[in-house]
Amino acid sequence: MDITIDGPTFYDQEDENIFFSCIYELPDYKQVRGHGMELTISFNQSPSDEAIIKLLVICRRWHISANVLERFKRKTNLECYLWKNEIPG
């Protein structure tokens, strides 16, 4: 299962390292590939609610559109504050 997101803009090397560390720690993460201005994240199986919520956090934190994750909304993850809101602060 693949999910393609827009690539973020990084402030420095540490910011980029933190971003990719978060990607690598997603449940059932398989690999990430960049092509153009997009990143495709591959999972070993259909992403769990936990993986989707963590990816939603990553998208919000790095100001990436989370629209691609809309298809993964389920009753079991619908209550997450970040579906409709940015990270405060």
Side-chain angles (χ1 to χ4, degrees):
M1 166 61 76
D2 293 345
I3 298 176
T4 300
I5 61 172
D6 294 331
T9 299
F10 301 113
Y11 296 103
D12 58 21
Q13 188 61 51
E14 183 178 6
D15 188 42
E16 183 175 358
N17 292 344
I18 293 168
F19 173 84
F20 281 102
S21 290
C22 292
I23 295 292
Y24 301 150
E25 293 175 8
L26 290 169
D28 292 315
Y29 164 82
K30 183 176 180 181
Q31 70 177 359
V32 63
R33 298 175 314 276
H35 43 86
M37 297 299 292
E38 297 177 330
L39 294 174
T40 298
I41 304 160
S42 297
F43 295 87
N44 291 316
Q45 58 187 358
S46 184
S48 65
D49 285 344
E50 179 185 5
I52 294 302
I53 296 301
K54 287 183 177 193
L55 191 51
L56 181 58
V57 169
I58 291 167
C59 287
R60 294 297 190 209
R61 185 163 289 159
W62 273 274
H63 307 287
I64 299 168
S65 173
N67 291 343
V68 70
L69 301 178
E70 291 284 327
R71 66 186 172 130
F72 295 99
K73 275 187 177 179
R74 301 177 190 121
K75 288 182 182 180
T76 53
N77 67 25
L78 193 57
E79 295 298 318
C80 181
Y81 171 84
L82 295 175
W83 283 116
K84 295 181 183 177
N85 301 286
E86 297 290 328
I87 292 176

